[in-house]
Amino acid sequence: MILRKKRVKPIGLKDITIVDDAKVRKAITAAALGNAMEWFDFGVYGFVAYVLGKVFFPDASPSVQMIAALGTFSVPFLIRPLGGLFFGALGDKYGRQKVLAATIVIMSLSTFAIGLIPGYASIGIWAPILLLLCKMAQGFSVGGEYTGASIFVAEYAPDRKRGFLGSWLDFGSIAGFVLGAGVVVLISTVLGEAEFEAWGWRLPFFLALPLGIIGLYLRHALEETPAFQQHMDKMEQGDRQGLTHGPKVSFKEVATQHWRSLLTCIGIVAATNVTYYMLLTYMPSYLSHNLHYKENSGVLIIIAIMVGMLFVQPFIGFISDKIGRKPFIIAGSIGLLFLSIPAFMLITSGKIGLIFSGLLILAIVLNFFIGVMASTLPAMFPTHLRYSALASAFNVSVLIAGLTPTAVAWLVESTNDLYMPAYYLMVFAVVGLVTGLTMKETANKPLRGAAPAASDMEEAKEILQEHHDNIEQKIEDIDAQIAELEAKRQNLVQQHPRIN
């Protein structure tokens, strides 16, 4: 049987996608706003956890109230993998845009509903049960939210700007936190502590509804991503892989065929989100409950830190397009490993300036991770299974990272050791370092399974020239290897009497 090699068609300018700047801006705005909506809730929840403990778990001690409130935050992460599998399959079958419209509806309604739940004093045990159900609905929607949004931005972005444009997704995350924290401080300051604990804590959750309506409007108006449209076009031309009869890729297949990418994704997300939840969700409670600062004082410090992070975030993404994503993953992991204990020495010093410096160290380390995560993860999987694979990997690691506030609160209470958060971070720093050293660089390369993407025709010509130069270099390398092998062959021939 003679095997015929399929002739590879040369790549020309017409094969490079020219991305429309206006569509890119709309895509980033819609994705970032949805992400801001998600983290607005998480920010509000983290900053009012001390009040929720009193409202929904009034009979417990203050320490148990805090752990219980943060535990309600962590439990929904058990649901996130299910949401990831569900929305990932839908995203690969029907497209990214439709799924992102659905997730923001579920998120906004469930967040709004938290503000409607009566306290334990009114309906007893049903109060914490309803709170948990709302959080589980959020977890289900978030299972497809971040991964879908990062894929959406990555598939719209030109190859040379994917790091910078992807960094705005987590800019939205931080902005959501800042907005949530700022709203909590403003309302508690205006109403006073007593009124805020009585009913004022509900107001930030009510804001989720109008934010969700705006986000839904923006996402509904978007077109599908160029990469997914290309995949649909291939299907219509006879390529049946992945969509016509529904998703054919199981998690088992992803794990066996793309296990390196899967492990890399899990490592990056675990290291990033443990640091994220430690700094932005647990630290407000740590400052108020364990270090005995007034709630508003701790919140104001965190807000100042997050505002600083907003300015650093796009800069990290921009630089990663020049030097790559790997250096930031490695540097962030090393920083987390060696600076966590010094940071907490400053945080526990009792001096505001030093506390701010300690939190700033953790914030800069976090920026190194989140500045490149949204551009790194989608590049690891091919188009036809990108949503399913990334959602599965992302939510498995988030399942671990989401336990951070509850686990660290319990460890601190159990050991009376205020440095437990630092030790916890150092464990995941090792995970991040191993991942960073072993991962493949993805900067300035087309997404797997997608055509190269450029901002304009001039850039497309440069990309095509680089592609041809790369082919020429590979041919030269192969020629050199052939020459070396030929020399070895000749040397062996000369040693054999009959062949010679």
Side-chain angles (χ1 to χ4, degrees):
M1 179 179 178
I2 299 176
L3 295 177
R4 296 182 180 274
K5 290 185 178 180
K6 183 178 180 181
R7 180 177 175 82
V8 179
K9 185 180 178 182
I11 294 179
L13 278 175
K14 65 180 182 301
D15 299 308
I16 299 177
T17 303
I18 307 298
V19 183
D20 184 271
D21 285 342
K23 290 182 179 179
V24 171
R25 287 194 295 270
K26 285 178 64 178
I28 292 172
T29 301
L33 183 61
N35 227 37
M37 165 72 222
E38 172 189 344
W39 291 102
F40 171 82
D41 167 64
F42 284 149
V44 167
Y45 197 92
F47 290 117
V48 302
Y50 72 100
V51 176
L52 297 179
K54 297 176 183 179
V55 174
F56 292 99
F57 310 97
D59 296 331
S61 65
S63 296
V64 174
Q65 285 179 354
M66 180 61 63
I67 294 173
L70 291 174
T72 308
F73 170 88
S74 296
V75 167
F77 286 88
L78 299 172
I79 307 298
R80 284 186 67 157
L82 296 178
L85 290 172
F86 178 78
F87 288 115
L90 292 181
D92 283 333
K93 183 176 182 179
Y94 299 111
R96 291 49 164 134
Q97 184 267 343
K98 294 181 178 64
V99 170
L100 287 176
T103 56
I104 201 169
V105 169
I106 298 173
M107 170 60 75
S108 58
L109 290 178
S110 54
T111 302
F112 177 79
I114 291 176
L116 299 175
I117 302 173
Y120 187 92
S122 300
I123 59 174
I125 192 64
W126 283 104
I129 290 175
L130 291 174
L131 176 63
L132 183 60
L133 289 174
C134 287
K135 294 299 293 180
M136 290 172 71
Q138 289 177 338
F140 189 75
S141 66
V142 171
E145 168 61 39
Y146 181 85
T147 50
S150 63
I151 289 170
F152 201 84
V153 172
E155 290 184 345
Y156 255 111
D159 297 337
R160 292 184 175 182
K161 296 180 180 178
R162 189 167 291 116
F164 175 67
L165 296 176
S167 67
W168 289 97
L169 187 63
D170 282 291
F171 181 95
S173 303
I174 303 168
F177 255 106
V178 171
L179 179 61
V183 167
V184 170
V185 171
L186 177 63
I187 293 175
S188 62
T189 301
V190 172
L191 296 181
E193 194 65 26
E195 291 298 313
F196 183 75
E197 291 185 9
W199 59 272
W201 63 268
R202 301 178 183 276
L203 299 181
F205 292 103
F206 291 154
L207 287 177
L209 192 59
L211 287 176
I213 292 173
I214 295 172
L216 178 62
Y217 171 77
L218 290 174
R219 288 186 173 182
H220 186 71
L222 288 173
E223 295 180 10
E224 192 51 77
T225 68
F228 190 79
Q229 288 177 343
Q230 289 169 10
H231 183 47
M232 293 291 288
D233 291 341
K234 287 180 181 179
M235 270 190 29
E236 291 175 1
Q237 294 169 8
D239 181 1
R240 297 291 178 177
Q241 185 182 27
L243 292 179
T244 303
H245 303 294
K248 297 180 180 179
V249 181
S250 65
F251 181 78
K252 180 180 178 181
E253 187 175 350
V254 172
T256 53
Q257 296 184 8
H258 303 277
W259 61 272
R260 289 183 181 274
S261 297
L262 204 63
L263 290 178
T264 300
C265 178
I266 290 173
I268 293 174
V269 175
T272 301
N273 280 4
V274 164
T275 311
Y276 212 134
Y277 296 134
M278 183 74 75
L279 179 63
L280 302 183
T281 300
Y282 175 68
M283 288 313 297
S285 300
Y286 180 80
L287 292 173
S288 61
H289 180 71
N290 297 105
L291 301 184
H292 310 295
Y293 285 93
K294 291 181 179 179
E295 282 78 7
N296 281 0
S297 299
V299 169
L300 288 173
I301 295 175
I302 298 293
I303 290 175
I305 292 292
M306 288 190 291
V307 170
M309 290 176 67
L310 287 174
F311 291 98
V312 176
Q313 181 73 8
F315 179 73
I316 297 289
F318 177 80
I319 296 299
S320 77
D321 284 327
K322 310 300 179 185
I323 66 173
R325 326 292 190 218
K326 284 188 66 168
F328 286 101
I329 300 295
I330 294 171
S333 301
I334 292 174
L336 200 61
L337 183 60
F338 292 103
L339 297 178
S340 290
I341 290 179
F344 273 87
M345 290 175 66
L346 295 172
I347 292 169
T348 56
S349 66
K351 299 179 181 179
I352 293 294
L354 295 181
I355 292 172
F356 183 87
S357 299
L359 293 172
L360 183 62
I361 290 172
L362 296 180
I364 292 173
V365 169
L366 178 57
N367 266 128
F368 274 44
F369 287 121
I370 62 175
V372 300
M373 188 166 72
S375 56
T376 301
L377 301 184
M380 294 181 183
F381 302 100
T383 304
H384 74 278
L385 56 80
R386 182 172 292 130
Y387 209 144
S388 299
L390 185 54
S392 299
F394 188 91
N395 287 297
V396 166
S397 48
V398 164
L399 178 63
I400 301 168
L403 298 175
T404 297
T406 309
V408 175
W410 178 80
L411 287 170
V412 172
E413 292 297 328
S414 300
T415 63
N416 290 319
D417 187 346
L418 294 177
Y419 286 89
M420 273 295 166
Y423 306 146
Y424 198 90
L425 289 174
M426 291 170 70
V427 170
F428 284 91
V430 174
V431 175
L433 183 58
V434 172
T435 303
L437 291 172
T438 56
M439 67 180 283
K440 294 181 179 180
E441 184 57 75
T442 61
N444 297 310
K445 297 178 181 179
L447 296 173
R448 290 179 64 179
S455 300
D456 50 42
M457 184 56 69
E458 190 64 32
E459 186 175 289
K461 292 178 180 178
E462 292 176 6
I463 289 175
L464 185 61
Q465 184 59 51
E466 288 178 2
H467 175 71
H468 290 159
D469 291 343
N470 187 44
I471 290 176
E472 292 173 7
Q473 183 61 52
K474 286 182 178 179
I475 292 173
E476 291 177 6
D477 292 342
I478 291 172
D479 288 341
Q481 292 173 13
I482 291 173
E484 183 180 347
L485 290 172
E486 184 61 35
K488 288 182 179 179
R489 179 185 182 280
Q490 188 61 34
N491 183 48
L492 292 171
V493 167
Q494 291 174 355
Q495 299 176 41
H496 197 290
R498 289 191 296 273
I499 296 177
N500 193 21

